[in-house]
Amino acid sequence: MKKIILFGALLGVATFALAEDAAVIDPPMEGSVTVQQGLDAWSRIHDVVSHPRCANCHTGPSDRPMWSGPSFGAPRQHGMNIRAGESRMGLEYLQCSSCHTTKDENWDNANAMPHAAPRVAMGWALAPMEAHWFGRTAEQICAQLRDPEQNGGRDMIELAEHLNHDLILHWAWAPGGGREPAPYSLQEHVDDLLDWGVAGMPCPQD
Amino acid sequence: MEVRVNGNTHEVDVSADMPLLWVLRDELGITGPKYGCGIAQCGACTVHVDGVAVRSCQLAVGDLAGGEVLTIEGLGTPDTLHAVQEAWIEHQVAQCGYCQSGQIMQAAALLDRTPAPSDDVIDAVMSGNLCRCGTYPRIRAAVKTAATKLQEV
Ligand code: FES
Ligand code: FES
């Protein structure tokens, strides 16, 4: 793992290391999930993607992360006039990692301090523009997620693998500092995604 | 563990999760970086790590991973000030001074990356550095003067 991270750092590219708490990707048999079960799975997926731990950094065309959720009162833009820029990492302005520093992968109480900047074992960043969750409806997000043009050309397995590799996303279930975690668990979220995929990616508006 | 600060190597015997700011101030006696909040809210502790502005209260010393730390003590010398320090004196930016080492380190990092920043960029980059004395207008003016100086050399 260290070698992968080092290699990534040398190349100057984003490093995606598989975390120890990674989920198992085990899709159900083709045809074994009904459309209704797929819609139920979608509803739980929506509970996750619309949760502040996820949506706050999925702000679409805006390069401003949001602060919202039980500890924030009314939703508002991230303090300090933060702009993530086109890089989505703040390279054009103040780097996200100036405060959201990159921690060692084995350091598990790094986010114990309330109100401090969360940190993970990869460079902090805003989600890509196409992955727009904040302020959008379940129907809109569902349509986006099943459209290869808008989901990075991923099928359901690739979506699940993507969830497994993104350590910022893993943080959503263990945010520390008194923050409310995203609902369910990473494994349940991956399972729901696979069920939804096998059911044919149904959306409430179909 | 070894820590590189301002071109020197120091051996420190601390736990890996100690914030870099604590190591600088309490272990090494490098007190330019200031403690304001300890939770990334004020910017008073800003230093550079491999040229990038970092809140040293948010970086565990163990996560430095061999990075080169630069504090205000290493930015310029009294004889050869950094352009940002010169501009700060010309504009008499500081009031109480507590936030200023962080402001200067943040401004220097900004100009390294963006040699001629617009007001919009200056405001976006410098907004994470609070000044309880409200020296913001002078900070913005001094950043512009420093940018001009750096382009002349
Ligand atoms: S002391 Fe580090 S940001 Fe305030
Ligand atoms: S000069 Fe006093 S806090 Fe900035």
Side-chain angles (χ1 to χ4, degrees), chain B residues 93-100 103 129-136 138-139:
Chain B
V93 173
Q95 190 161 321
C96 82
Y98 198 81
C99 71
Q100 296 293 332
Q103 304 279 5
N129 289 77
L130 302 184
C131 174
R132 61 191 171 182
C133 302
T135 63
Y136 303 112
R138 296 201 293 276
I139 288 173

Side-chain angles (χ1 to χ4, degrees), chain A residues 89-108:
Chain A
M89 303 183 90
L91 299 181
E92 303 87 340
Y93 302 102
L94 179 62
Q95 267 177 244
C96 303
S97 58
S98 286
C99 299
H100 298 270
T101 57
T102 306
K103 76 172 184 74
D104 183 272
E105 68 202 274
N106 295 320
W107 181 22
D108 47 18

Side-chain angles (χ1 to χ4, degrees), chain B residues 61-110:
Chain B
V61 66
D63 289 337
L64 251 183
E68 277 289 331
V69 180
L70 184 75
T71 71
I72 192 152
E73 285 86 347
L75 188 68
T77 67
D79 298 328
T80 51
L81 292 173
H82 187 278
V84 171
Q85 292 169 311
E86 273 178 21
W88 243 248
I89 292 171
E90 283 168 28
H91 286 270
Q92 288 293 291
V93 173
Q95 190 161 321
C96 82
Y98 198 81
C99 71
Q100 296 293 332
S101 132
Q103 304 279 5
I104 289 171
M105 294 310 283
Q106 185 63 63
L110 158 63

Side-chain angles (χ1 to χ4, degrees), chain B residues 3-75:
Chain B
V3 183
R4 295 270 305 157
V5 187
N6 300 331
N8 302 313
T9 304
H10 303 268
E11 186 64 37
V12 291
D13 181 16
V14 297
S15 88
D17 63 357
M18 183 183 273
L20 174 62
L21 178 62
W22 275 233
V23 176
L24 293 173
R25 293 183 57 87
D26 296 354
E27 298 290 324
L28 303 178
I30 297 172
T31 54
K34 296 290 183 275
Y35 171 78
C37 66
I39 51 170
Q41 302 283 331
C42 77
C45 64
T46 305
V47 301
H48 298 179
V49 176
D50 294 334
V52 176
V54 171
R55 308 293 183 244
S56 60
C57 70
Q58 291 301 293
L59 185 70
V61 66
D63 289 337
L64 251 183
E68 277 289 331
V69 180
L70 184 75
T71 71
I72 192 152
E73 285 86 347
L75 188 68

